[in-house]
Amino acid sequence: MDTLIDNSDVFIAGFRTTIYLFLISAVGALVLGVVIGAMRVAPVKAANVFGTVYVNTVRNTPLTLLMFFFAFGYDKLGLIDLSYFTLAAVALSMYTASYVAETIRSGINTVPVGQAEAARAIGLPFTQTLGLIVLPQAFRAVVPPMVSVFVALLKNTTIAAGFSVAEAGAIRATLSERGEPQLVVLLWVAAIFVALVMILSLVQNRLEKKWAVSR
Amino acid sequence: MQPNEPSGTDASANPFETTSNPIIASTGEPLVVVENIEKYYGDFHALKNVSLTVNKGEVVVIIGPSGSGKSTLCRTINRLETITSGTIRIDGTELPSEGKPLAQLRAEVGMVFQSFNLFAHKTILENVTLGPIKVRGLSKAEAEKTALALLDRVGIKHQAAKYPAQLSGGQQQRVAIARALAMKPKVMLFDEPTSALDPEMITEVLDVMVGLAKEGMTMVVVTHEMGFARRAADRVLFMADGEVVEENGPEEFFTAPKSDRAKDFLSKLLVN
Ligand SMILES: Nc1ncnc2c1ncn2[C@@H]1O[C@H](COP(=O)(O)OP(=O)(O)OP(=O)(O)O)[C@@H](O)[C@H]1O
Ligand SMILES: [Mg+2]
């Protein structure tokens, strides 16, 4: 307990960065993931191809590699300067988006095709058919797997530590300089992560209750 | 005999009877024109050189054995199914291939499915108002007023706040008809609207459809309900193996079919 209390400044700063990184990447991944997922079911061939290529390349690239690219490759491209934090958020968003897209697509497949046909038959264009009829029903089926995707994202934020973003994964390094026992520090970091995941599970329960399927 | 004349005695049960100035006979203007369409599913030839003209106010019944292409033909009319070649025009406009123009044209064509397909996450009222609000741009209040009137006509007004799953099949199908009518379509397509219903619910749906037909609605109906065809149809189209084999008035078709395929089919239909 002493380790935690004595170094609360480091713990708080680390986890604050982790949570920021998580929240920003989660929103980014959700938005990008829904767009990519929509492209995969869109009635436009080019969009299908782009969506499929995106998911297959990004999902099969190790996250560390993607982080490397953004951390070391990006500034070579000569674009606007971005902080490591921003680059890490972009990498995490892009990576997680491929999983979000796949989860959304499998959710869309749980909605009977007749629902989309009926929507098209009354003259709703593709975006409204998806946004008003299919996705609201798909989201209900998607909550549990989607929470798993975000739990993975939360854990993946620690990879950013390797690229100079001082989030929770970097706490051990900082505190070992202060001479704290490394194992104890690691156990505390792990315990706090477990607590954060439990918060996500709580959100899951709430959403599942709220969107209880009425069929 | 006038094909549009009601032959049954249950016309009083028809919820559309109170409507003013019903247009009884077709006006002879072509509304749906299908010309020489072909449809392939991969190598499978599902529609073979099919042509069909439906005039304003006309009711055409499509009948035929399973797999003969009835649903496919019905669904090509609002392009839920694309065609390989040929042309389809609705009220003079060729079906746009995609995008906003296609959506706009679909709004003019009502469709009723075998499996109802009511939006499961929306109330009955929301099911009926969605199209008028989102596609026609009506205000919520206007759309609800029309929707409640339509639901009243199909006898479901008191269930407006319920969800589809809380209604019986027959009630759901009547809501589906109201949902299509709310768009004020030029033509209504029905793909076996009573095949998924228990026998005691078939009549309530058919009565609504007969009422619509008498009101002058242009209709294309895939059904094996001979009673409906006799009461409401102007013409019967008999399909087999993706082709239109025979086209005739309902009395002529049912009493004196010309083709062997139709004779064979009708003999089996009568036995069941
Ligand atoms: N999406 C599809 N892919 C491949 N073949 C299809 C598809 N849809 C229909 N078919 C085939 O096309 C033929 C016509 O089908 P359709 O559904 O139009 O028949 P139908 O006359 O409506 O039959 P039913 O009375 O059983 O509804 C059938 O042989 C069917 O197997
Ligand atoms: Mg069919």
Side-chain angles (χ1 to χ4, degrees), chain A residues 198-212:
Chain A
M198 279 165 72
I199 293 174
L200 281 180
S201 307
L202 251 142
V203 172
Q204 173 182 345
N205 281 339
R206 274 287 180 79
L207 289 180
E208 276 181 302
K209 282 216 183 77
K210 191 171 155 202
W211 289 341

Side-chain angles (χ1 to χ4, degrees), chain B residues 41 44 46 65-72 192:
Chain B
Y41 288 112
F44 183 75
S66 180
S68 57
K70 308 180 297 290
S71 297
T72 307
E192 304 211 29

Side-chain angles (χ1 to χ4, degrees), chain A:
Chain A
M1 207 36 128
D2 283 351
T3 312
L4 183 64
I5 292 163
D6 293 348
N7 301 292
S8 59
D9 55 331
V10 178
F11 275 96
I12 288 171
F15 272 101
R16 190 193 291 133
T17 309
T18 293
I19 289 169
Y20 280 160
L21 197 55
F22 169 74
L23 289 178
I24 291 168
S25 310
V27 171
L30 201 59
V31 172
L32 188 59
V34 168
V35 171
I36 304 276
M39 287 176 103
R40 297 202 74 181
V41 297
V44 182
K45 192 87 191 145
N48 299 162
V49 172
F50 180 85
T52 310
V53 169
Y54 182 95
V55 168
N56 288 333
T57 21
V58 176
R59 206 165 53 144
N60 294 329
T61 306
L63 177 56
T64 26
L65 216 68
L66 205 63
M67 285 276 198
F68 258 120
F69 170 78
F70 277 98
F72 304 118
Y74 178 81
D75 53 325
K76 299 234 164 53
L77 295 177
L79 303 172
I80 37 162
D81 244 6
L82 294 173
S83 67
Y84 278 132
F85 178 86
T86 313
L87 290 173
V90 169
L92 282 167
S93 297
M94 283 184 63
Y95 181 76
T96 311
S98 64
Y99 288 89
V100 171
E102 276 309 271
T103 309
I104 298 243
R105 193 171 71 118
S106 68
I108 287 173
N109 289 338
T110 66
V111 180
V113 283
Q115 294 286 307
E117 286 187 346
R120 288 153 71 202
I122 58 171
L124 290 180
F126 170 74
T127 44
Q128 290 189 341
T129 298
L130 198 66
L132 298 172
I133 304 301
V134 179
L135 285 182
Q137 295 186 63
F139 276 135
R140 300 163 189 213
V142 138
V143 173
M146 196 62 92
V147 169
S148 309
V149 168
F150 286 115
V151 168
L153 168 63
L154 181 61
K155 294 192 265 185
N156 284 340
T157 54
T158 53
I159 293 179
F163 303 96
S164 320
V165 177
E167 43 63 70
I171 291 174
R172 181 203 54 82
T174 316
L175 291 190
S176 69
E177 281 163 24
R178 286 192 189 174
E180 293 288 350
Q182 302 209 14
L183 189 64
V184 178
V185 173
L186 280 179
L187 284 175
W188 275 116
V189 171
I192 297 173
F193 265 107
V194 169
L196 289 177
V197 169
M198 279 165 72
I199 293 174
L200 281 180
S201 307
L202 251 142
V203 172
Q204 173 182 345
N205 281 339
R206 274 287 180 79
L207 289 180
E208 276 181 302
K209 282 216 183 77
K210 191 171 155 202
W211 289 341
V213 183
S214 51
R215 269 202 187 285

